[in-house]
Amino acid sequence: MSGRNTALTPPADAAAPVRHPDAPAPGELLGAHYEHCFGCGGGQPHGLHLEARAGEGVRITAEFTVRPAHQGAPGLAHGGVLATALDETLGSLNWLLRVIAVTGRLETDFVRPVPVDTVLYLEAEVTAVAGRKIYSTAVGRIGGPDGPVAVRADALFIEVKVDHFIDNGRPEEIRAAMADPDQVRRTRAFEVNP
């Protein structure tokens, strides 16, 4: 991406991202990080139900189908929903780094309309890491993984500790997530941006 905003441009001393040795294997479906997440959770009837897969290096691919509940203008996806799809895809990159991180800044370009019933094909990658800052970029295409670009984004994620969620989330949801006997689900509930 162009790095239009200096907050989204990595500093000169930023490091190249390094895929964690325990990251999901390329091609592996990442699954929802939380059942009630609007972006990826199955427990949201009008959510995106976005499905992301690990790619090579520090990259992922994802897809979601625009449904009538996602429209803004008649027959077209709402821009906020498209931004959410980009944010969810970019947030999923943190699973490959094995860090907990939240969105600090998201700059989105809307290139062309996305009709209802269209599949949006997304790809994202981490471009640099500087301390707690994770720089990444994503693109969404229609008509296939190599189709025309419809949306794109640059993002800055900030690594946080699990206390960020415990201190700021609604107590009943935090308690339920922390009490989940499934260690993987409990850990994943706090792995990506809320």
Side-chain angles (χ1 to χ4, degrees), residues 146-157:
D146 297 319
V149 172
V151 292
R152 60 180 166 245
D154 291 318
L156 169 64
F157 280 77

Side-chain angles (χ1 to χ4, degrees), residues 82-92 103 106 153 155 157 192-194:
L82 297 175
T84 300
L86 288 161
D87 184 47
E88 185 68 29
T89 303
L90 289 157
S92 295
T103 310
L106 177 69
F157 280 77
V192 238
N193 61 307

Side-chain angles (χ1 to χ4, degrees), residues 4 7 17 22 25 33 38 52 73 78 86 93 121 130 141 145 147 156 172 175 179 183:
R4 297 168 301 273
D22 295 330
H33 75 274
F38 182 78
H78 189 288
L86 288 161
L93 286 165
Y121 298 88
R141 299 174 183 273
L156 169 64
E172 53 269 34
R175 278 195 299 275
Q183 177 78 23

Side-chain angles (χ1 to χ4, degrees), residues 12-74:
D13 63 347
V18 177
R19 182 189 188 101
H20 192 280
D22 295 330
E28 186 177 331
L29 186 65
L30 298 180
H33 75 274
Y34 179 57
E35 167 91 14
H36 301 289
C37 173
F38 182 78
C40 66
Q44 289 289 346
H46 298 297
L48 304 185
H49 302 167
L50 187 135
E51 292 190 347
R53 290 190 181 279
E56 298 291 334
V58 190
R59 296 174 181 236
I60 66 161
T61 59
E63 293 180 12
F64 100 94
T65 301
V66 178
R67 299 290 178 214
H70 303 140
Q71 66 189 308

Side-chain angles (χ1 to χ4, degrees), residues 94 98-102 134 158-162 165 187 190-192:
N94 297 312
R98 298 292 292 230
V99 299
I100 301 170
V102 296
I134 302 163
I158 308 297
E159 186 176 349
V160 296
K161 302 295 181 206
V162 74
F165 301 96
T187 301
F190 302 103
E191 277 188 324
V192 238

